[in-house]
Amino acid sequence: MYQWRKFPFFEEKALGSGAAAELGENIVCSSSGRGQIVLGGDDAMVHVLDRGFKLSYSFQAHSTSVLHQRNMLVTVGEDEAASAQVSSMSLKLWDLSKHQSEGPSSSRIDPVCDRALRIFSNKFPEAKITCFLVYEEAPPILLLCFGLESGIVYCIRGDIARERISRLKLLVDPATATSSASPITGLGLRLDGQALQLFVVTAATVNLYNMLQHPPQKQVLDGHGCDGLCVAMSDRQELVIGRQEAIYFYEVDGRGPCWAFEGEKKYVGWFRGYLLAVIADARKSVFNIYDLKSKLIAYSSEVEDVAQVFCEWGIIAIITKDHKVTCLTEKDMNSKLELLYRKNLYPVAISLVQRQQADAAATAQVMRKYGDHLYSKQDYDEAMAQYIKTIGQLEPSYVIQKFLDAQLIQNLTLYLERLHEKALASADHTTLLLNCYTKLKDATKLDKFIRGDEQTGGQLRFDVETAVRVCRAAGYYEQALYVAKTAGLHESYLKILLGDLGNYVEALEYISGLSPSEAEVTLKQYGKILVEHKPDETTATLLTLCSSDGNATHTSSSSAPPPSPMEFVHIYVDQPRWLIVLLEQYLVKVSSSPIVKDIHNTLLELYLSDSLASTSPEEESSSSSRKAQVKKTRSFKDAVSNTRETAEERSLRLQKSLDLLKKGWGAHEEEPQYDAALAVMLCERHKFRDGLLFLYEKKRLFKEVMSCYMKDSDYRGLISCCERLADTSRGGDPSLWADVLAYFGERGEDCSKEVKEVLGYIEQYSLLPPLVVLQTLSKNPTLTLSVVKNYIATQLKQESRQIEDDRKTIQKYDEDNRLMRAEIEELRTKPRVFQLSKCTACTSILDLPAVHFFCMHSFHQRCLGDNEKECPVCAPSNHTLLEMKRNLAQNATDHDRFFQLVRNSDDGFSVIADYFGRGMLSTHRP
């Protein structure tokens, strides 16, 4: 142990005048606490010293001598006995905060003695007190333990001031028939939670008592004891005793570590984690202060015979028997460290700051200096070991800059690894560490760093985006894939699979395993390249995602609807045929959907697109690899593998267009499942006549339907169409035959057969006057009179019959008119004779008063009531005629309707004649 280094970590403090050395030779005991030092003399005087070791005051505690005292102040001493049978040894409890004058004529002020108590009694025989211990359990309860020369410990517990106490005797090593008593040399208390344990040391044994037991049981910890003044308690409540060969530490379960400091131990104490010991040999006595944790001697000095050692105010005071007082104070931490730095004793400095429980920053500062020292000596491995210990306190860039040399890359790698283990690495640190791995070509460490070990549970301890970027740049794609997949970086994972590895199948499998929302995002971003290389598998994946199966394959509780296939149209910009496959199969799986109209519009555009007639050279070169994947059914899917569309395939495609139009607009549906205007535009652009005919007919645009046949000079189709559209039993418009006749009249070629057929329908429906028919057909120079001969003859016969019928009708109207005029004239000029004998209303004999009307109806006046001006029998018919006349007059004033009828009529003169016939154009209107 003499090889331990000695350092002057304590310095002696000089004392001024009035020091304790002036108190004389009678100091036999001492105590300290609560900012005071108390010395007791053999003359029963107690001296209280201040911080400067100057005498504050003294007082007489006992009549004979003071043996021990503690900080309340508790003194044990001899007083005058009342009788020979009563012990003179007493205990006194002093209140140092209260003082009283000794007498009126005395100027000395003594503290108040609260209680005096006899220690010994008949049951507790008197013996010499060798040691004394006081413990305040809970105010005002005190525990006082007296170690006796007879090997017995007396314990007094309770409220001493009120003398409510209990006594206890512990027979430690008393005298027996075969052996003498072993005196008590030391006492120590240990508080472990609620347990109060008492260490008792004798010259022969070390014992332990649990003071909560009744009675306390003795537990022998060691069969060897020690002498007096060599017992102390450490900061960790360990019992410390000094023997000739070593200093021992004891726990409650027995002896612990020991330190082999050879020499006779005169004194053993403890101060702030330091072991205090006075060791003597044949030549001298030395006072040492040991730092056991750092294994150094913090102070060492030769001393004479030590009388008292006590600690207060952070000072260790030593009083020797030759009246010398030495005060030691510990140097501050910086002073101690500077001393160690000058001697390059960095390990000692580290141990010192750790023992002093300095903060982490201070400890890291010492380790940094140690690392700098080792680095300057080119001991890079040990320097890095110190730098690693500073992680979390020292800026990493300080260390990294020192190890950027290529020869030190191993050390730099180690530092960066530790930095990541403590989760203190930034993205730049991750980049640097991965670059180190790649330069070292250490795939094993790189893989371990990327994947993590069992202790971290595979958790990523770095910036994942940086790791993916660096691994990709270095060509470590497997590691980059692992990081991206573990961190959920779907975009990076797919970039590696598609851009670096070209693994399209695995990319699709990965996308299929994502949640619907994530799969939707990734397919929108990378779907184009997937369709280009794996169109069949990509289309199947999209179909699963967009249909109801997309959410069924995940256990997510999200109720979000599946995405629409229309959201992925852009990825098929170079593969329109596969888009057709996707949309067709989607309609098969999802029959009802709000996007059906959009899908039908897109499908119709694709069916009619001219870009499907042939494929590009790229498609042509890759078609052979796709042929084996599209042989399942005969559908439009088969066309994907062909390099050029055949006539049969084109016909099939156009037929699908027509089927789409017809299925999307059923016979009983008012609105189609597609945009009709868009469909018309597409059919017109791509000259798809069948589609146009269907759409025009559904929209009842009959004239546009016929214009399609007219443009193609399809006479037979035109007549067949008109037969269907002009059928009045189906709600048709017979006037279409007039348009057909006008069309044939303008043709410059012979169409006699068709004209004859059209004239038959015109004659059937009486659509046009013969003159108009002749004017229309006269425009065609190829038509002869034989074409209209039969039609003209038939029309002349019909008109002749009509003229004859009209003449007879006119004659009848003229006769009726003449009779009506004659009747009116007769009513105006000739009297009327009323000869009715019965009332028209009640059929009773007509008597006066009676009312007669010109209509030859007669009534009792009483039968008419209040209505005497109008015949009740003729009134309804008269009202009807008057109402008709009023309506005619009102219509005559509606000029807009009159002119509209004239414009829309093929024979405007007949409209005017009708207005004249009903008197609506007369200047004399009622």
Side-chain angles (χ1 to χ4, degrees):
M1 289 298 178
Y2 289 102
Q3 296 179 357
W4 282 17
R5 292 178 177 270
K6 297 181 181 180
F7 299 96
F9 288 166
F10 285 79
E11 57 185 357
E12 296 184 5
K13 180 180 179 181
L15 292 178
S17 59
E22 301 175 0
L23 297 177
E25 300 181 1
N26 60 345
I27 297 176
V28 294
C29 58
S30 63
S31 182
S32 61
R34 299 187 181 180
Q36 292 179 326
I37 295 177
V38 181
L39 304 178
D42 56 2
D43 55 356
M45 292 295 293
V46 174
H47 310 283
V48 180
L49 306 183
D50 61 11
R51 187 160 188 161
F53 283 83
K54 295 181 179 179
L55 182 63
S56 295
Y57 58 89
S58 300
F59 63 92
Q60 184 80 30
H62 298 272
S63 60
T64 306
S65 64
V66 176
L67 298 181
H68 300 85
Q69 72 277 331
R70 287 296 182 267
N71 58 3
M72 280 197 60
L73 172 77
V74 179
T75 61
V76 178
E78 295 182 9
D79 287 318
E80 295 181 357
S83 63
Q85 289 79 19
V86 179
S87 172
S88 62
M89 191 65 65
S90 66
L91 177 146
K92 291 184 179 181
L93 185 64
W94 303 87
D95 188 352
L96 298 182
S97 62
K98 300 177 181 180
H99 295 80
Q100 62 182 359
S101 176
E102 187 177 288
S105 60
S106 174
S107 61
R108 192 174 74 183
I109 299 176
D110 296 337
V112 176
C113 179
D114 284 346
R115 179 63 61 182
L117 182 68
R118 295 293 177 179
I119 298 175
F120 302 108
S121 64
N122 294 332
K123 294 183 179 180
F124 296 89
E126 183 176 355
K128 182 179 179 181
I129 298 176
T130 56
C131 55
F132 175 43
L133 183 145
V134 177
Y135 173 71
E136 187 175 17
E137 293 187 28
I141 305 301
L142 296 179
L143 173 64
L144 298 93
C145 300
F146 303 91
L148 306 179
E149 190 177 29
S150 61
I152 299 174
V153 175
Y154 284 169
C155 298
I156 300 176
R157 175 182 286 172
D159 187 352
I160 304 298
R162 298 181 181 181
E163 203 168 345
R164 297 176 180 176
I165 60 175
S166 61
R167 296 174 180 265
L168 179 67
K169 181 192 299 184
L170 302 178
L171 302 178
V172 184
D173 281 333
T176 62
T178 58
S179 62
S180 59
S182 179
I184 306 298
T185 57
L187 298 172
L189 273 177
R190 174 189 176 95
L191 184 63
D192 187 5
Q194 297 295 328
L196 184 62
Q197 296 166 320
L198 176 65
F199 288 102
V200 180
V201 182
T202 68
T205 59
V206 177
N207 308 274
L208 178 68
Y209 288 88
N210 187 348
M211 300 305 291
L212 295 182
Q213 295 179 349
H214 299 284
Q217 298 298 318
K218 174 183 176 182
Q219 178 184 352
V220 180
L221 300 180
D222 197 354
H224 299 278
C226 69
D227 297 332
L229 297 180
C230 294
V231 179
M233 293 295 294
S234 70
D235 295 338
R236 296 187 301 172
Q237 300 191 70
E238 297 170 309
L239 179 68
V240 185
I241 64 175
R243 302 195 189 112
Q244 177 70 27
E245 69 281 4
I247 293 179
Y248 297 89
F249 287 76
Y250 289 87
E251 295 279 356
V252 294
D253 53 354
R255 189 170 66 184
C258 68
W259 301 89
F261 302 131
E262 297 182 354
E264 182 183 0
K265 310 304 183 295
K266 296 292 187 178
Y267 171 80
V268 172
W270 196 267
F271 173 75
R272 293 183 178 179
Y274 291 103
L275 173 65
L276 312 180
V278 177
I279 303 177
D281 57 16
R283 295 175 299 172
K284 59 182 179 180
S285 294
V286 180
F287 177 76
N288 291 332
I289 301 177
Y290 295 97
D291 185 346
L292 300 180
K293 187 173 182 179
S294 302
K295 294 184 179 180
L296 57 85
I297 300 176
Y299 177 82
S300 181
S301 176
E302 292 187 11
V303 294
E304 300 298 333
D305 292 338
V306 176
Q308 301 292 327
V309 178
F310 47 87
C311 305
E312 188 68 20
W313 309 300
I315 297 174
I316 303 175
I318 306 171
I319 301 177
T320 61
K321 293 182 179 179
D322 58 357
H323 307 160
K324 292 182 178 179
V325 178
T326 303
C327 293
L328 303 177
T329 58
E330 186 177 8
K331 295 181 179 179
D332 61 88
M333 179 61 70
N334 290 333
S335 299
K336 291 188 284 185
L337 291 177
E338 288 297 330
L339 174 64
L340 295 175
Y341 293 158
R342 288 196 297 269
K343 297 182 180 182
N344 294 329
L345 297 176
Y346 294 98
V348 179
I350 293 173
S351 177
L352 182 64
V353 294
Q354 290 177 343
R355 191 192 69 82
Q356 295 289 341
Q357 297 181 351
D359 58 8
T363 305
Q365 180 69 11
V366 178
M367 293 178 177
R368 181 194 64 79
K369 288 182 175 290
Y370 189 24
D372 293 344
H373 172 69
L374 294 172
Y375 185 87
S376 64
K377 296 173 64 177
Q378 297 184 355
D379 190 354
Y380 301 115
D381 293 342
E382 289 298 325
M384 179 53 71
Q386 296 303 318
Y387 287 135
I388 288 175
K389 296 177 182 178
T390 65
I391 292 177
Q393 300 297 329
L394 182 62
E395 179 62 35
S397 59
Y398 177 85
V399 180
I400 292 173
Q401 290 177 354
K402 289 179 175 288
F403 290 86
L404 288 177
D405 192 281
Q407 298 178 352
L408 305 178
I409 191 172
Q410 292 281 6
N411 302 104
L412 179 59
T413 302
L414 179 62
Y415 181 79
L416 293 171
E417 287 175 346
R418 299 297 181 269
L419 202 62
H420 281 80
E421 288 177 1
K422 296 185 178 180
L424 296 174
S426 65
D428 294 334
H429 299 148
T430 301
T431 304
L432 186 57
L433 176 58
L434 294 175
N435 286 328
C436 290
Y437 285 144
T438 55
K439 288 182 180 180
L440 292 172
K441 300 185 183 304
D442 193 343
T444 303
K445 279 193 173 183
L446 176 61
D447 194 65
K448 182 179 179 181
F449 174 77
I450 291 297
R451 299 180 184 275
D453 52 25
E454 295 180 357
Q455 294 180 353
T456 60
Q459 296 180 357
L460 302 179
R461 304 161 299 175
F462 46 80
D463 186 83
V464 292
E465 293 183 356
T466 301
V468 171
R469 185 181 69 252
V470 175
C471 289
R472 283 189 68 190
Y476 289 94
Y477 300 120
E478 293 298 327
Q479 287 79 2
L481 281 175
Y482 174 82
V483 174
K485 186 175 183 179
T486 304
L489 300 178
H490 310 311
E491 181 178 354
S492 299
Y493 187 84
L494 292 173
K495 280 183 179 179
I496 300 169
L497 282 178
L498 301 175
D500 300 327
L501 301 178
N503 196 338
Y504 307 105
V505 176
E506 185 177 347
L508 283 171
E509 292 176 353
Y510 179 78
I511 292 174
S512 300
L514 298 177
S515 65
S517 59
E518 293 173 338
E520 177 184 353
V521 174
T522 53
L523 280 173
K524 287 179 180 178
Q525 186 172 3
Y526 301 103
K528 189 173 183 296
I529 188 173
L530 289 171
V531 169
E532 180 181 353
H533 294 86
K534 295 293 179 183
D536 195 1
E537 294 83 349
T538 305
T539 302
T541 302
L542 273 174
L543 184 62
T544 303
L545 176 65
C546 296
S547 63
S548 58
D549 299 337
N551 286 333
T553 56
H554 294 80
T555 58
S556 174
S557 59
S558 174
S559 59
S564 165
M566 298 304 299
E567 299 178 19
F568 303 94
V569 171
H570 65 282
I571 70 176
Y572 287 94
V573 64
D574 297 327
Q575 302 286 338
R577 298 185 178 186
W578 283 104
L579 178 58
I580 292 176
V581 174
L582 172 65
L583 298 180
E584 286 179 343
Q585 295 186 0
Y586 178 80
L587 289 177
V588 173
K589 279 196 169 187
V590 184
S591 57
S592 61
S593 174
I595 60 169
V596 167
K597 188 172 184 177
D598 294 334
I599 294 178
H600 283 165
N601 292 337
T602 306
L603 272 177
L604 181 61
E605 185 175 1
L606 291 171
Y607 287 151
L608 299 176
S609 176
D610 295 332
S611 63
L612 297 178
S614 62
T615 57
S616 63
E618 290 78 8
E619 293 175 328
E620 196 169 86
S621 62
S622 62
S623 62
S624 60
S625 63
R626 299 198 299 261
K627 285 183 179 180
Q629 303 175 7
V630 292
K631 293 182 179 179
K632 298 179 182 178
T633 58
R634 179 60 180 171
S635 65
F636 197 79
K637 201 171 176 183
D638 299 324
V640 182
S641 61
N642 297 331
T643 58
R644 189 170 296 277
E645 188 179 43
T646 64
E648 180 185 357
E649 291 167 344
R650 173 177 172 77
S651 176
L652 176 62
R653 175 164 58 85
L654 295 179
Q655 183 60 41
K656 285 192 173 186
S657 301
L658 186 57
D659 292 342
L660 175 64
L661 292 174
K662 291 181 177 180
K663 292 180 181 179
W665 199 344
H668 304 289
E669 294 179 358
E670 295 183 1
E671 293 294 331
Q673 296 181 4
Y674 48 82
D675 190 338
L678 176 63
V680 171
M681 183 193 69
L682 291 174
C683 291
E684 288 179 347
R685 180 193 301 172
H686 299 286
K687 300 178 181 179
F688 183 42
R689 194 184 75 166
D690 293 343
L692 278 175
L693 292 175
F694 173 78
L695 291 170
Y696 286 153
E697 186 172 345
K698 292 293 291 186
K699 293 169 72 70
R700 301 190 66 81
L701 301 174
F702 299 146
K703 294 184 182 296
E704 283 76 5
V705 173
M706 292 193 307
S707 67
C708 292
Y709 290 101
M710 294 175 181
K711 289 179 182 178
D712 297 337
S713 299
D714 187 359
Y715 300 154
R716 187 69 259 164
L718 176 60
I719 293 175
S720 299
C721 175
C722 196
E723 288 176 347
R724 186 177 69 257
L725 299 180
D727 189 356
T728 56
S729 63
R730 299 181 180 178
D733 184 9
S735 64
L736 295 176
W737 289 112
D739 296 330
V740 176
L741 183 65
Y743 167 73
F744 285 124
E746 295 175 355
R747 302 296 293 177
E749 57 187 29
D750 187 11
C751 49
S752 301
K753 181 180 178 181
E754 289 79 7
V755 170
K756 289 180 179 180
E757 191 172 354
V758 173
L759 288 175
Y761 287 106
I762 291 178
E763 182 180 359
Q764 178 183 349
Y765 293 109
S766 301
L767 298 176
L768 296 175
L771 182 59
V772 176
V773 172
L774 292 176
Q775 290 175 348
T776 301
L777 294 178
S778 65
K779 299 177 183 179
N780 190 337
T782 63
L783 297 177
T784 61
L785 185 60
S786 60
V787 176
V788 297
K789 178 181 178 180
N790 294 334
Y791 170 77
I792 294 299
T794 303
Q795 289 296 314
L796 290 176
K797 291 180 181 179
Q798 291 179 355
E799 290 189 2
S800 296
R801 288 194 297 267
Q802 184 66 35
I803 291 172
E804 183 63 23
D805 293 339
D806 290 344
R807 186 183 61 79
K808 292 179 179 179
T809 302
I810 291 172
Q811 290 178 355
K812 179 179 179 296
Y813 286 161
D814 287 341
E815 183 65 21
D816 292 341
N817 190 23
R818 186 185 63 79
L819 294 175
M820 292 176 65
R821 290 179 182 275
E823 184 179 0
I824 294 173
E825 182 64 23
E826 184 179 356
L827 290 173
R828 287 179 177 177
T829 58
K830 297 180 179 181
R832 278 276 187 174
V833 178
F834 301 98
Q835 297 178 348
L836 290 178
S837 60
K838 292 183 179 182
C839 177
T840 305
C842 64
T843 67
S844 298
I845 298 298
L846 190 65
D847 55 3
L848 297 177
V851 179
H852 304 279
F853 293 96
F854 282 111
C855 61
M856 304 308 292
H857 294 141
S858 300
F859 300 89
H860 292 115
Q861 187 176 15
R862 62 180 178 273
C863 291
L864 290 176
D866 296 333
N867 188 10
E868 298 180 356
K869 297 180 180 181
E870 188 176 15
C871 176
V873 176
C874 301
S877 59
N878 293 336
H879 289 169
T880 302
L881 292 173
L882 290 174
E883 184 66 25
M884 291 175 61
K885 193 173 182 180
R886 279 195 298 269
N887 290 337
L888 290 173
Q890 185 177 357
N891 291 334
T893 61
D894 191 353
H895 305 300
D896 292 336
R897 186 173 183 276
F898 169 73
F899 288 113
Q900 183 179 4
L901 291 175
V902 173
R903 283 193 299 268
N904 295 338
S905 175
D906 295 331
D907 187 3
F909 180 77
S910 62
V911 176
I912 297 174
D914 182 60
Y915 265 68
F916 269 110
R918 288 185 288 177
M920 296 174 65
L921 297 179
S922 175
T923 56
H924 301 286
R925 292 190 296 271

